[in-house]
Structures are given as structure tokens and as C-alpha cells.
Amino acid sequence: MSVIQPVLDRIDQNLDQSLERLFALLRIKSISTDPVFKADVREAAEWLVADLKTIGFEASVRDTTGHPMVVAHHEGPSPEAPHLLFYGHYDVQPVDPLELWHDDPFDPAVKELSPGRKVITGRGSSDDKGQLMLFVEACRAWKQVHGALPARITLLFEGEEESGSPSLKPFLKAHAAELKADFALVCDTGMWDAETPAISTGLRGLVGEEIVVKAADRDLHSGEFGGAAANPIRILAKVLADIHDEDGKVTIPGFYDGVEDTPSQILESWNGLGETAESFLGQVGLSIPSGEKGRSVLELTWARPTAEFNGIIGGYTGKGFKTVIASEASAKVSFRLVQKQNPDAVRAAFRDFVKARIPADCSVEFHPHGGSPAIQLSYDSPFLAKAKDALSDEWQKPAVMIAMGGSIPVVGDFQTFLGMESLLVGFGLSDDRIHSPNEKYELTSFHKGQRSWARILEALTR
Amino acid sequence: MSVIQPVLDRIDQNLDQSLERLFALLRIKSISTDPVFKADVREAAEWLVADLKTIGFEASVRDTTGHPMVVAHHEGPSPEAPHLLFYGHYDVQPVDPLELWHDDPFDPAVKELSPGRKVITGRGSSDDKGQLMLFVEACRAWKQVHGALPARITLLFEGEEESGSPSLKPFLKAHAAELKADFALVCDTGMWDAETPAISTGLRGLVGEEIVVKAADRDLHSGEFGGAAANPIRILAKVLADIHDEDGKVTIPGFYDGVEDTPSQILESWNGLGETAESFLGQVGLSIPSGEKGRSVLELTWARPTAEFNGIIGGYTGKGFKTVIASEASAKVSFRLVQKQNPDAVRAAFRDFVKARIPADCSVEFHPHGGSPAIQLSYDSPFLAKAKDALSDEWQKPAVMIAMGGSIPVVGDFQTFLGMESLLVGFGLSDDRIHSPNEKYELTSFHKGQRSWARILEALTR
């Protein structure tokens, strides 16, 4: 008799209740980057612990110097059974600008976008509460059907992923013995498209820096001082404008150290996916790639490093006009890293680049925000083939090997601190609007994602 | 018997009460640029009308499509007496960032900064409520002493000077017959230094533009789209950075059309004032002129045009970090104009300059904020010499002829719509922090400024 079929059937039967559970989690405003929501973040952790206990996990909220971790363990069929660590994060991005949301970001619902296509709306529905609950629900169904789980399973749910994961490294170091498993399952990734499952084998790294340019010791009247006094917005604009050349390349000396060309066979397989600048950028109302000239959008977002400006502010930004020369202006700048780029070296090179452009009577402050190298997973790992087959069975379409433009620092940390490889499988779509207003998650992803994880569990423990 | 001495004595006696009146006006939050304060702006107008009626002015609040004007008339000793129009504005700048104020900006007080040096603190104390009340108090004292005023006097107090004066031109046109006088007195200017009175003969013009660069139709995740999608902050930074060359010159084609070199004798007289880059910029913690190379700070701020960036905003600007690519970014840009520069031509050239730098799949919006040409008054006008002598008598030091970096559009409007020259006399100091936190006005300016206006009235009507 099939081990997996009754689990899949149970997942189907559980769907409505599993949605209710996800909604309860989505209603909690666990925005980690804004201290105002500190108590909400903890509430989400406590909610997860309570839910995991109902499945039989030994689960607890673990304090850190920042937001807490959730750690949960479940025994396997035997002490020699494979040990898997599943990672997700229960914190979410801020929701501003709130006025652009069609629905309350913290009052989730199922909406029918078009006949037969339903989505779950709300902040965190895709990134990452929805993805995280897939695995929890797969475990729940398995336990209900078989009274046990097929592997020793440890869950690690983080509450600081959207704010640079300051506590993650120390926590992994301090609890390495507890958390070390045969390998990790990481769910914070996406499908190729709504019908095609994917496994991610490459992830870009990230360096974040906030810079504050300071000029006069007070705000000045531009009539009185304009033409004589340094303007920090002008200095900042020059710094930012200098970072890219006419061909979209980053000009910071040493920035491309450690960047190798992607193998041609990989590029060819990506070209075979049929994505074009028009199809990729057309989703968001654009058409012209803004990165390095002569490369495809998939190469640009999956395998090339970038410098992005994530925020800028200075001077008078209210209604109307104020003829002021501000005393300071600031920008949030981030770099996506690939291959062997060193985050510390990139940060140092950027700071030198900025300092060289600050007039002698002005100053600049730097505030670091996270740093992680890129990850390149091997194409021939033993569990990759099994997972690929399990996904292909569920979706009735071959799973594809892709890369990801975003960073998932935990994958590098698992490698560094726990000596553990990761399998990256997720069911997000590129139009899920993660980090933006009107985030959603496909109901199909939520349903077939649970079934996919059950199949992967079965394949890995067969 | 002296006509003027008893008026000066009465001003001295009235000082405490005149301060109380100024404080009452300063307490009204008449911020014209922010619609939240609409009722406060009107309250200030009504306060002025009530006060002017106590002096015998026929005064009224006059509605416009924006904030109201205050117009008041007082008869002279005879229908043939000179007719003077005095202009000031009763609106004030916004007060943000509020946390940088040492005292409540709307709870004025007299503070002793150092032994013998007292200042009036509060938003509008210098710009322009304090300056405006000087003339009102001079009239009050004159009326109290002589039972009449020495000239026919019309007062025009505007409530939209800090928000681009949208109603001024239509109001002047509609009421030209009522407002036309022999010449205008305009008080929105400054002294050379705390001991040296000044008359301003040159004023820079102003063009304000807000630009909004739009890229994707939503905010994007920089991991997912970074390297491919246009970033409006990057586009905006490039636009702004391109506006100045390495020597501080503005690069917009045609920008310097109509700009003539200042006569060498004028430049020499300015050099004789002893201002240096160190002394001028040292007041605000700077030392290196940021404008066109090879020109003095006085020439840069009095006689050269500029491009300034008054505000910029885009993307995530809250605490922490958000790896977002914004859908739009905006900047408030202003140009100070000199001599014969045409505001409309500068605005059009700027727009062309910006449009040429917007990628084909992005767009830009422009929002105009005021425009006025520069003013250059003649050095040999008949009333200039009289006012100079009156000021020199009061301050016991020769008044100097200076220029001003800021614009006072009303001076041009008086010329255009009423065919009337202006005399620009004021008692602000360069460290008054107008438009900035901790605005103040010297108590000496408030006292001797009243006496100065009484002396000027006497000199002009002798």
C-alpha cells in the first residue's frame, strides 16, 4: 500500500482548516524591522509554538538579543532515521505605503482573481508565512495518517529575516549541536511559473549600507546661502550617480573581484526558459533592462551583482515648497553579490568610493545593514534528484533548476556554522508582490505546496 | 521743534507693549504651505486687521482663492501728501524638523544670548512678522505723538509669501487703482551686520520645480528585479548630478542666457566689506564655497544664478532597511536667477534637460512652484539717498548698498502691475535662521528698526 497517497488525501481534506491556521498567523503584524511591532513579532512566535505542539513537536520560543527564534523537534521512526532541518521565517516586511493596498494587509482573505484562479491576500502570505506553513501542514497530515513522521525533523523559524538576521549567526553557533541535521530544507524560494516547480541552486548575497551626508550644521535658506554653501543632496546625488557607468556596470574599484562568468551551458538552459526582457519587465510596466548591457534579464537577476538604491531622503519633502538647503541627506544602498564576491571587501570598497566624493568641509556616516556572500549549490547533490522527481510527480511537469536574485543568508550560515547543505524549494511566484503592497500567494501554491513537501519527505526517506 | 524726536521717544516708551503685540502675532501658526494650518493663517490676518484699526487704519481681510490679504489705508496730512505702500508677509515657513528647536517655535520669548545681547525667539520672529511689525509700530508711535501720519499710507500684508504667492499677481491686477502709490517700502530684507544698516538694490529671482520620476508600476523586491528593472532613485540621482559640472557651473543649455558680469566697481565695493569664504560659511560650520569657482561668496550669493536641491525622497526611508526598488522618486529643485534670466525659459530648459535623461520605459512629472525674475534697482533713485541718511543717523554708521541672494517676487510684481519702484530696507541678520529651526530676531533690530522706519518716514516726507 502506498505510504504517500493517504497523506496527500488527508492534505486535501485538511485544506480549509489549514487556510484558517494560515490566516490566524497572517493576522499577526510581525514586522521585524520596526521596533513598534516588537510584541507582535513575539506573538507570532508563540502562535507557532502552540500550533506545533498540537502536532506533537517539542517546540519553544527561544529568546535572542533581538526577536525570538522558534525551535521544534520531532522524533523519527527510529534514532537512525534521516534528520532534516526545515527553515522558514515568520517575520514580514513593513507595509507602507499603506494607501496602495486594496485590502487590509493584516486581514487575509481568499480572492478569486479570474475564473478558477484564487489567491490568498495579505502581508506575509507568500514571504514567508505561507511557504513555512506548507511544511507544517505536510507534517500534520503525515502524523494524522501514520501516527509518526518519516524522519527526525527539526524546525527553525526565524523572526528577523526581513531585518538582516542579526541574531541568526550567534544562535546557530550557540546551538550547533541541537540544530545540526543531515541537511536543511529551505522554503523561501519560488517556482519558475505557476505550473512549473523549481529548485534553486544559486542565490545572490547582499550587502546593505545606509549613508548619511552631512554639510552645514543647520538647515539653510537657499536664497541666503545658495551658491556658496555645500548642499548634501547634491553631494549624495553625485555619489549615487557615479556608482554606475553608461553601460550599467558598477564603477566601484574591485567590485567585480570574485565574479566569474556563468558557464555557457547554464546560460543556454536559462535562455531555453523563454524569458525575455519584455516578458520579465512587462509584468511591472517596464521593458528596458537597466543593468549591464548585453546580458539577459535572467542572467542579470540570477548571476550578476548589482548596486541598488533602496531609499533616499533629504531636505523638505512635505507638500508645497521650501527653499531650504538641508544640513544632511541620506540613502540606503544595497549590493547583490554573486559567486565569490566578499561582502566585507565590497562594503569597504563602497565606503572608500563614497569618502573620496565628500568635500573636505562635509562628512559622511555609514550604518551597515546585513552582509552575506552568494551561494552556489552543487548540481549533483544526492537529494537534489529525489526532490526533483517528487516535485515533477506532484506538478506533472519536470521541475527546473534555477537561480535566485534574492539572498537567503541562512543557507550560507548553515554551510558555515553547521556544515550542512540546503535544498531550496518554494512555491512563490514572481508576481506575488513580496515586499510591496498587495502581496498574495496562489491558493494552488498553498495546496500543491503542502502535497509537494509530503512527496519530498517520502522521497528523501524512502 | 523736532518732528522726529518725540516719535523716537514714544517708540522707546512703547517697546514692552510692542513686544507683547509681536508675541501675540508670533503665537499664531500661520504656516501657509501646509493646508492643515489654513485657519491659523486667517487668524493671523484677522489679528492684524484688529490691531491696525486701533491705530486708525481702515483695514480689512481680503479673500483670495488661497490665503487672504490684509489691506489697510491711512490718510495723510493732505490729499497731496506722498503716498507710500508698505509690504510685508504674515505667513511663515514650516517648522520641521521640530525636534531640533530648543524652544517651542510658536511660544516666543526674549532670551539673553550673551551679556547685553537679547533676541526674540520663534518662527516668524525675523521672517517676516517681526520686520512687518516694525513699520506698524512706527506708525502707531507717530500717530500717538502727532495725531496724524506724515504720508498717505497703504499697507499690504500677504499670507502666501512662503508658498509661492499664487494670489499676489491676480490681487495686484484686480486692485491696482487702490494699491498704486508713489513707491513701495518692502521690509523683507536684512542688515549688513548687527551694527551696519543696509539697503538692498539687487534681488535674485526664483524658479521652483518638483520632479517625480516614475519607473515600475509598483514597488519591487530588489532581489527579484534588481539588475533588470529601472530604479527611479538612480535615474533621479543621475539627473541631479548632471546639473553641475566639476567647476560648480550649471550645465543646463541656455541657463546663463541673460546673465551679465557684475560691474567691477560693484564687486570691489563688496570685496571692501571684508567677507571671506571662511567668515561667511564659518557661521554654519562650512568653509569651502560650492558654487562657481573663482568668485567670492558675496558674488556667488548676490549676483550669480544657482541650481539647488531643496528636497528629495524615494523608496524606504524608515528605520532599518528594506530591499525595495521604488516605483517613483521625487525632488524639489529651485533656481536662483540674476539680471535678465527669464524664469519661463529656465523652467523650459530644465524640463528638457530632465526629459533627455529619462529612460524610454519610465516617465517624469513636473510640478511648478513659483517663478520670478531677478530685480536690479537703480543706484540713483531719489528716495534712496534720503533713506540712506535716515538709516545712517539711527545706527550712527553709514548704511551700505548690498544685494540679496533671496528673491522677493513682490518687488517685480509692483514694477510690472503697479509701475512702482521699491525701497528695500530690513533689519534681519544672516544668522537669524529664517526657514530653519531656532529662528530668532535681534531685540536691537526690533527696537532700532522701529526708530529707523520712523526716521525714513520723516526723511521721505520732509
Side-chain angles (χ1 to χ4, degrees):
Chain A
M1 184 197 151
S2 159
V3 168
I4 187 65
Q5 194 54 50
V7 178
L8 300 178
D9 292 344
R10 180 57 68 109
I11 285 172
D12 297 348
Q13 291 155 23
N14 283 357
L15 186 62
D16 286 348
Q17 297 101 300
S18 69
L19 256 180
E20 282 309 312
R21 284 186 286 268
L22 174 61
F23 283 12
L25 181 58
L26 290 176
R27 285 188 195 104
I28 304 172
K29 302 176 180 176
S30 50
I31 300 170
S32 61
T33 199
D34 186 340
V36 167
F37 297 95
K38 189 172 167 51
D40 304 81
V41 177
R42 173 167 289 268
E43 187 189 339
E46 286 167 352
W47 185 94
L48 282 164
V49 164
D51 185 59
L52 292 169
K53 284 180 176 170
T54 67
I55 307 177
F57 278 92
E58 187 191 317
S60 56
V61 173
R62 304 289 186 88
D63 284 331
T64 70
T65 53
H67 298 296
M69 301 282 177
V70 169
V71 177
H73 299 287
H74 199 291
E75 60 185 6
S78 75
E80 294 76 36
H83 183 193
L84 307 178
L85 174 75
F86 180 89
Y87 166 90
H89 66 89
Y90 65 85
D91 63 324
V92 299
Q93 281 276 321
V95 296
D96 58 284
L98 191 57
E99 64 273 18
L100 295 186
W101 286 77
H102 304 316
D103 305 286
D104 184 337
F106 294 110
D107 187 13
V110 169
K111 272 184 139 174
E112 185 153 21
L113 289 194
S114 54
R117 183 182 170 201
K118 293 180 177 174
V119 299
I120 301 163
T121 62
R123 174 57 90 225
S125 56
S126 174
D127 183 20
D128 181 47
K129 290 172 174 173
Q131 305 246 58
L132 168 165
M133 288 301 289
L134 299 184
F135 190 80
V136 173
E137 296 296 346
C139 290
R140 192 188 319 270
W142 197 299
K143 185 77 180 287
Q144 287 171 349
V145 169
H146 296 297
L149 293 186
R152 288 182 288 157
I153 291 181
T154 297
L155 306 176
L156 174 63
F157 297 151
E158 189 191 359
E160 297 180 327
E161 200 273 347
E162 302 293 6
S163 54
S165 296
S167 308
L168 185 67
K169 285 183 179 67
F171 191 83
L172 293 182
K173 265 193 240 185
H175 302 87
E178 179 184 359
L179 298 171
K180 169 94 172 83
D182 296 328
F183 59 90
L185 307 174
V186 173
C187 68
D188 201 2
T189 63
M191 298 177 60
W192 166 245
D193 61 28
E195 285 85 37
T196 316
I199 300 177
S200 299
T201 54
L203 293 170
R204 289 197 290 191
L206 181 70
V207 164
E209 280 276 296
E210 184 169 359
I211 62 175
V212 185
V213 175
K214 301 188 170 204
D217 58 15
R218 72 197 69 152
D219 283 358
L220 307 176
H221 187 303
S222 76
E224 203 174 341
F225 285 96
N231 185 324
I233 298 175
R234 176 171 152 199
I235 297 165
L236 183 61
K238 180 85 174 91
V239 165
L240 299 187
D242 279 357
I243 289 176
H244 295 89
D245 70 12
E246 293 296 320
D247 293 327
K249 280 198 76 161
V250 173
T251 62
I252 298 169
F255 180 75
Y256 289 97
D257 289 356
V259 179
E260 288 152 27
D261 279 340
T262 305
S264 60
Q265 76 208 58
I266 302 292
L267 289 179
E268 276 163 32
S269 76
W270 291 347
N271 288 341
L273 291 171
E275 188 77 276
T276 64
E278 291 68 28
S279 65
F280 183 77
L281 292 173
Q283 323 169 55
V284 297
L286 296 171
S287 59
I288 306 170
S290 73
E292 299 165 85
K293 287 207 186 345
R295 299 180 190 268
S296 75
V297 285
L298 290 186
E299 186 183 3
L300 287 173
T301 55
W302 286 354
R304 297 301 299 175
T306 67
E308 287 294 348
F309 311 139
N310 306 112
I312 190 166
I313 189 165
Y316 183 68
T317 58
K319 284 188 181 169
F321 214 89
K322 192 171 165 182
T323 50
V324 67
I325 299 177
S327 60
E328 62 177 58
S330 66
K332 297 182 203 274
V333 177
S334 62
F335 301 92
R336 296 282 167 182
L337 308 185
V338 302
Q339 296 147 15
K340 296 183 170 36
Q341 275 181 303
N342 179 317
D344 295 335
V346 167
R347 191 187 303 281
F350 172 63
R351 289 182 175 190
D352 288 345
F353 181 91
V354 174
K355 284 181 205 155
R357 284 158 178 80
I358 304 298
D361 60 345
C362 299
S363 64
V364 62
E365 276 178 11
F366 297 95
H367 302 280
H369 286 274
S372 62
I375 297 292
Q376 191 64 51
L377 299 178
S378 56
Y379 283 93
D380 52 3
S381 89
F383 40 83
L384 203 61
K386 292 180 180 178
K388 188 170 187 285
D389 289 346
L391 285 169
S392 306
D393 285 349
E394 172 62 25
W395 295 82
Q396 294 293 304
K397 199 170 174 185
V400 295
M401 305 289 119
I402 63 175
M404 275 193 70
S407 64
I408 306 185
V410 70
V411 176
D413 294 338
F414 285 163
Q415 217 157 35
T416 307
F417 298 109
L418 306 182
M420 189 168 60
E421 289 284 299
S422 299
L423 175 69
L424 284 80
V425 174
F427 302 91
L429 294 184
S430 60
D431 67 352
D432 278 355
R433 298 194 173 98
I434 63 170
H435 296 212
S436 297
N438 302 309
E439 180 175 349
K440 60 87 182 164
Y441 195 47
E442 300 288 321
L443 189 60
T444 303
S445 290
F446 187 66
H447 185 190
K448 291 171 80 72
Q450 296 180 30
R451 293 170 53 101
S452 297
W453 277 119
R455 287 183 190 269
I456 290 172
L457 269 182
E458 193 270 338
L460 293 174
T461 58
R462 196 179 299 157
Chain B
M1 183 194 152
S2 158
V3 167
I4 187 64
Q5 194 53 49
V7 178
L8 300 179
D9 293 343
R10 178 58 68 109
I11 285 172
D12 298 348
Q13 292 155 21
N14 283 357
L15 186 61
D16 287 348
Q17 297 101 300
S18 68
L19 256 181
E20 282 309 313
R21 285 185 285 268
L22 174 60
F23 282 13
L25 181 57
L26 290 176
R27 285 188 196 104
I28 304 172
K29 302 175 180 178
S30 50
I31 300 170
S32 60
T33 198
D34 185 340
V36 166
F37 298 97
K38 189 170 166 54
D40 304 82
V41 177
R42 173 167 289 269
E43 187 188 341
E46 286 167 351
W47 185 95
L48 282 163
V49 164
D51 185 59
L52 292 169
K53 285 179 175 170
T54 68
I55 307 176
F57 278 92
E58 187 191 318
S60 56
V61 173
R62 303 288 186 88
D63 284 330
T64 71
T65 54
H67 299 297
M69 302 280 178
V70 169
V71 177
H73 299 287
H74 199 291
E75 59 182 6
S78 77
E80 295 75 35
H83 183 192
L84 306 178
L85 173 75
F86 180 90
Y87 166 88
H89 67 89
Y90 65 85
D91 63 323
V92 298
Q93 281 275 322
V95 296
D96 57 282
L98 191 58
E99 64 273 17
L100 296 186
W101 286 78
H102 304 315
D103 306 287
D104 183 337
F106 294 109
D107 187 14
V110 170
K111 271 185 139 174
E112 186 153 20
L113 288 194
S114 55
R117 183 183 171 201
K118 293 180 178 174
V119 299
I120 301 163
T121 62
R123 174 57 89 225
S125 56
S126 174
D127 181 20
D128 181 48
K129 289 171 174 173
Q131 305 246 59
L132 167 165
M133 287 301 289
L134 299 183
F135 190 80
V136 173
E137 295 297 344
C139 290
R140 191 188 319 270
W142 196 297
K143 185 79 180 284
Q144 286 172 349
V145 168
H146 295 298
L149 293 184
R152 289 182 288 157
I153 290 180
T154 295
L155 306 177
L156 174 63
F157 297 152
E158 188 190 0
E160 296 179 328
E161 200 273 344
E162 302 292 7
S163 53
S165 296
S167 307
L168 186 66
K169 286 182 178 68
F171 193 83
L172 293 181
K173 264 194 239 184
H175 302 87
E178 178 185 358
L179 297 171
K180 168 93 171 86
D182 296 329
F183 58 91
L185 307 173
V186 173
C187 67
D188 200 3
T189 63
M191 300 179 55
W192 165 245
D193 60 29
E195 286 84 37
T196 317
I199 300 176
S200 299
T201 54
L203 294 170
R204 289 195 290 190
L206 180 71
V207 164
E209 279 277 297
E210 184 170 358
I211 63 173
V212 184
V213 175
K214 302 188 171 203
D217 58 14
R218 70 195 73 152
D219 285 358
L220 307 176
H221 186 302
S222 76
E224 204 175 341
F225 286 95
N231 184 323
I233 299 175
R234 176 171 151 199
I235 297 164
L236 183 60
K238 181 82 173 95
V239 165
L240 299 185
D242 279 356
I243 290 175
H244 295 89
D245 69 12
E246 292 296 320
D247 294 327
K249 280 198 77 159
V250 173
T251 62
I252 298 169
F255 180 74
Y256 288 96
D257 289 356
V259 178
E260 288 152 26
D261 279 340
T262 305
S264 59
Q265 76 209 58
I266 302 290
L267 288 178
E268 277 163 29
S269 77
W270 291 347
N271 289 340
L273 291 170
E275 189 75 274
T276 64
E278 290 71 27
S279 65
F280 183 78
L281 292 173
Q283 323 168 56
V284 296
L286 296 172
S287 59
I288 306 170
S290 73
E292 298 166 86
K293 287 209 185 346
R295 301 180 189 269
S296 74
V297 286
L298 290 186
E299 186 184 3
L300 286 173
T301 54
W302 286 354
R304 298 298 300 176
T306 68
E308 288 293 349
F309 312 138
N310 306 113
I312 189 166
I313 190 165
Y316 183 68
T317 58
K319 283 188 182 170
F321 214 88
K322 192 172 164 181
T323 49
V324 67
I325 299 176
S327 60
E328 62 176 59
S330 66
K332 297 182 202 275
V333 177
S334 63
F335 302 92
R336 296 283 167 181
L337 308 184
V338 301
Q339 295 147 18
K340 296 182 170 37
Q341 274 180 303
N342 181 317
D344 296 333
V346 167
R347 191 187 304 280
F350 171 64
R351 290 181 175 191
D352 288 345
F353 181 90
V354 174
K355 283 181 207 156
R357 284 161 178 78
I358 305 296
D361 60 346
C362 299
S363 64
V364 61
E365 276 178 12
F366 298 95
H367 302 279
H369 285 275
S372 62
I375 296 292
Q376 191 65 50
L377 299 177
S378 57
Y379 283 92
D380 52 3
S381 91
F383 40 80
L384 202 62
K386 291 179 180 176
K388 188 169 188 285
D389 289 346
L391 284 169
S392 307
D393 285 351
E394 173 61 26
W395 294 82
Q396 295 292 303
K397 198 168 174 187
V400 295
M401 305 290 118
I402 63 175
M404 275 193 70
S407 65
I408 306 184
V410 71
V411 175
D413 293 338
F414 285 164
Q415 220 158 30
T416 307
F417 299 108
L418 306 182
M420 187 170 61
E421 289 283 298
S422 298
L423 175 69
L424 283 81
V425 174
F427 302 92
L429 293 183
S430 61
D431 67 352
D432 278 354
R433 298 195 173 96
I434 63 172
H435 295 211
S436 296
N438 301 310
E439 180 175 350
K440 60 86 181 164
Y441 196 47
E442 299 288 321
L443 188 60
T444 304
S445 290
F446 187 67
H447 184 189
K448 291 171 81 72
Q450 296 180 31
R451 294 170 52 101
S452 297
W453 278 119
R455 287 183 189 270
I456 291 171
L457 271 181
E458 193 271 338
L460 293 174
T461 57
R462 197 180 295 155

